[in-house]
Amino acid sequence: MLLLYVVFSMDNLDEYLGGRIIKITDLKPETLLYLKDHGGEVVTATFKKNDKLFCRRCLMVIEKLPIDFQYCRSCINLGKIQISDELLITPTDIRYPRQEDYLVWDGQLTANQSKGVRELILAFQQHQNHLVWAVTGAGKTEMIFPLIEQVLLKGQRIAICSPRVDVCIELFPRIQKVFPKTTVGLFHGRSEEPYHLTQIMLATVHQLIRFEKAFDVLVVDEVDSYPLAGNLMLRKAIQKAKKDTGIIVYLSATPPKELLKQVKQHKLSITRLYQRFHGHPLPEPHCHLLLKPTQFLKINPRLRLLIARLIKNKQRFMLFFPQIPAMKQFAKQLKKLYPLLTFVDVSSKDEQRLEKVQQFREQKVQAILTTTILERGVTFKKIMVIVLDAQAKEFSKTALIQIAGRAGRGKDSFDDEVHFFYQVYNQQIRKACDEIRYLNQQAKK
Ligand SMILES: [Zn+2]
């Protein structure tokens, strides 16, 4: 088979290489010719199956519209694909410059993590899809370092994806730092950096729609989180983006039922990591029934008592709200009642989200008010975690477990407290608390 060397000089070919799906009309004729000559494949933009018309890029059904030029509405955000279009799937047989000792990291893995690493590498060698069920704070990122190294040593390519852009952004510098000898790229809808071929790719799951049979190993972090959960197009994109011989590695602290079912059916191998890297159990939430609403007398007096104590003790804390308006309202009252308290509030709509999170991390403010946007992917030390209106529908069992998992992450603050406040004790609160207790019991075995 013809192998491509990475040519960074000629016509910026690396902008196209690596299993990208590109409309041929978007390519210069000479580029198209070159890519075709080197293994690129021209295909029609649609295909028929069971009398339905499907889009080759996003694999969704193309619904007929009452217009002349039919197009795929599902992936329109990535540029319009008409049914008469032709697409180029760009070459994927690429030879990367070979190195030794790719991994530059002097950290230590725990015995549990090492066992996980062995299982991951075995799955890679046996071409077996794998799930890592690791409790929050177990150190799953460090566990994939040796796997990445194995992939690189074989001259192969790996993508690490998450549905959440914040998770990708946090992960990127960590991966770049420990793999300085190869190319690492970070691509998502909001990044300025245009796509180019890299041996390690970090990206949102959305980006995978643009790829076909591109990766030898595809790691999907936070597989249970929004917007991946329940999104058929994204689930298809994951399957499509890996090579036929490639594998998918799912990482999750709260794996979805479908994956656990696949484990039972032996379609998926599994690593279970019930212990946090520091060996201490997950903080179990303290549950408090509030007889009056959170906003009662502006801020419920029971909450005021707690907040006053936190301020007096200079204890840092995170306050989780189900919705942005409730958070904003609370922030206003907080400012009035405690003018000396320093805090920031962040939500998905906040342009300065990353900067504000950084302020809290650097201890420039004592508290952070947030929605579920910070339920995962962030690590702070010595904090109390408080959930208000824990009965709200936005706080699923998974969200509550993830939020509780923000506490106790540091070696010297493993016993950070978690508090759930609610007006109704419902299923999701009970299930979240039960699961945390279950995981702690398993960890002791
Ligand atoms: Zn489409």
Side-chain angles (χ1 to χ4, degrees):
M1 188 179 288
L2 189 60
L3 286 169
L4 280 178
Y5 282 89
V6 184
V7 190
F8 287 100
S9 52
M10 190 200 148
D11 199 21
N12 292 331
L13 265 182
D14 58 315
E15 284 173 29
Y16 309 106
L17 292 173
R20 292 284 276 184
I21 304 173
I22 304 174
K23 251 163 65 167
I24 61 166
T25 47
D26 289 346
L27 291 165
K28 279 193 242 161
E30 61 270 26
T31 311
L32 176 62
L33 202 65
Y34 184 90
L35 292 169
K36 266 166 72 176
D37 277 353
H38 288 82
E41 188 192 354
V42 174
V43 297
T44 53
T46 59
F47 62 94
K48 265 202 172 136
K49 205 175 148 189
N50 304 332
D51 272 346
K52 281 183 185 150
L53 198 61
F54 287 85
C55 168
R56 175 87 184 224
R57 180 166 66 182
C58 70
L59 303 183
M60 299 299 281
V61 175
I62 299 181
E63 306 287 353
K64 218 170 164 40
L65 296 169
I67 53 171
D68 285 343
F69 298 101
Q70 302 292 324
Y71 66 93
C72 176
R73 277 190 293 170
S74 304
C75 62
I76 182 80
N77 286 343
L78 306 179
K80 191 188 254 185
I81 285 190
Q82 295 190 343
I83 59 172
S84 55
D85 278 333
E86 283 187 306
L87 306 172
L88 179 79
I89 319 289
T90 70
T92 52
D93 288 309
I94 288 148
R95 190 173 289 173
Y96 299 91
R98 288 303 281 271
Q99 309 270 351
E100 282 168 17
D101 302 324
Y102 281 101
L103 178 59
V104 181
W105 183 61
D106 55 8
Q108 283 282 320
L109 294 171
T110 64
N112 280 327
Q113 282 175 316
S114 301
K115 179 173 161 281
V117 165
R118 285 194 298 275
E119 288 166 352
L120 270 169
I121 289 173
L122 190 67
F124 172 56
Q125 288 164 346
Q126 296 182 338
H127 301 282
Q128 165 77 49
N129 291 344
H130 193 81
L131 166 67
V132 177
W133 181 359
V135 296
T136 54
K140 57 186 160 66
T141 307
E142 292 80 3
M143 276 175 53
I144 61 165
F145 290 169
L147 171 69
I148 298 174
E149 188 182 35
Q150 289 302 311
V151 176
L152 301 179
L153 284 170
K154 278 200 138 186
Q156 296 184 344
R157 186 179 185 210
I158 183 165
I160 303 151
C161 298
S162 166
R164 321 257 300 202
V165 61
D166 303 62
V167 173
C168 300
I169 291 171
E170 268 227 4
L171 214 50
F172 177 61
R174 292 175 69 187
I175 298 289
Q176 215 177 20
K177 191 172 164 213
V178 298
F179 293 103
K181 293 182 185 171
T182 188
T183 44
V184 189
L186 169 67
F187 310 108
H188 54 83
R190 285 196 275 135
S191 81
E192 316 249 297
E193 192 177 355
Y195 170 80
H196 53 95
L197 180 75
T198 54
Q199 199 173 6
I200 304 174
M201 180 179 99
L202 278 95
T204 50
V205 175
H206 261 106
Q207 294 298 318
L208 295 179
I209 299 169
R210 300 178 188 273
F211 291 88
E212 186 172 314
K213 296 184 184 169
F215 303 99
D216 298 285
V217 174
L218 186 54
V219 177
V220 187
D221 196 4
E222 308 289 357
V223 59
D224 55 292
S225 78
Y226 178 82
L228 179 56
N231 186 320
L232 183 63
M233 180 166 68
L234 294 182
R235 291 217 304 270
K236 286 184 174 193
I238 291 172
Q239 300 296 332
K240 178 186 60 132
K242 77 168 184 74
K243 290 186 180 172
D244 288 338
T245 51
I247 64 161
I248 304 173
V249 172
Y250 301 100
L251 308 179
S252 179
T254 41
K257 276 190 204 132
E258 307 90 77
L259 288 185
L260 294 173
K261 199 169 138 196
Q262 286 183 34
V263 171
K264 266 195 183 148
Q265 294 166 340
H266 302 288
K267 289 180 189 160
L268 194 64
S269 50
I270 185 168
T271 291
R272 292 183 173 88
L273 215 70
Y274 296 122
Q275 201 161 51
R276 293 191 138 184
F277 79 94
H278 51 45
H280 297 284
L282 298 161
E284 291 178 14
H286 301 266
C287 291
H288 312 272
L289 176 70
L290 284 184
L291 296 173
K292 300 281 186 190
T294 305
Q295 319 77 319
F296 178 64
L297 299 176
K298 308 247 159 75
I299 290 180
N300 189 306
R302 276 192 63 195
L303 294 174
R304 278 195 232 175
L305 266 174
L306 174 66
I307 292 166
R309 180 160 61 89
L310 293 171
I311 294 173
K312 188 169 157 249
N313 297 340
K314 297 197 171 65
Q315 162 74 57
R316 286 153 48 73
F317 60 100
M318 295 182 85
L319 274 176
F320 283 87
F321 295 82
Q323 287 172 343
I324 301 172
M327 177 182 83
K328 292 279 180 203
Q329 186 61 26
F330 198 94
K332 232 192 212 165
Q333 301 303 341
L334 206 55
K335 222 173 235 154
K336 268 192 209 154
L337 285 165
Y338 307 101
L340 293 179
L341 174 69
T342 52
F343 69 90
V344 285
D345 57 24
V346 297
S347 72
S348 56
K349 302 243 161 65
D350 198 330
E351 294 278 319
Q352 290 167 321
R353 181 163 94 225
L354 299 174
E355 291 87 340
K356 286 180 173 178
V357 169
Q358 196 55 26
Q359 280 185 329
F360 183 64
R361 180 168 293 128
E362 289 169 3
Q363 314 209 0
K364 289 182 178 149
V365 290
Q366 188 179 349
I368 190 165
L369 278 56
T370 179
T371 58
T372 52
I373 187 76
L374 291 189
E375 73 179 31
R376 55 179 88 214
V378 290
T379 294
F380 307 110
K381 286 168 189 165
K382 290 195 180 167
I383 48 156
M384 182 185 280
V385 171
I386 303 160
V387 181
L388 300 180
D389 293 317
Q391 78 282 352
K393 64 176 189 318
E394 287 82 0
F395 292 127
S396 60
K397 175 198 84 171
T398 304
L400 290 172
I401 294 172
Q402 291 284 355
I403 289 170
R406 295 312 101 206
R409 295 175 81 93
K411 224 182 231 162
D412 46 3
S413 67
F414 61 86
D415 54 355
D416 288 341
E417 288 175 23
V418 177
H419 295 268
F420 290 170
F421 286 91
Y422 46 82
Q423 277 110 71
V424 186
Y425 185 78
N426 60 8
Q427 284 275 350
Q428 68 219 34
I429 301 173
R430 185 179 59 75
K431 281 186 181 166
C433 294
D434 284 354
E435 189 163 321
I436 292 169
R437 264 194 297 275
Y438 167 81
L439 293 167
N440 280 339
Q441 281 162 5
Q442 294 300 314
K444 277 191 224 152
K445 284 183 182 170

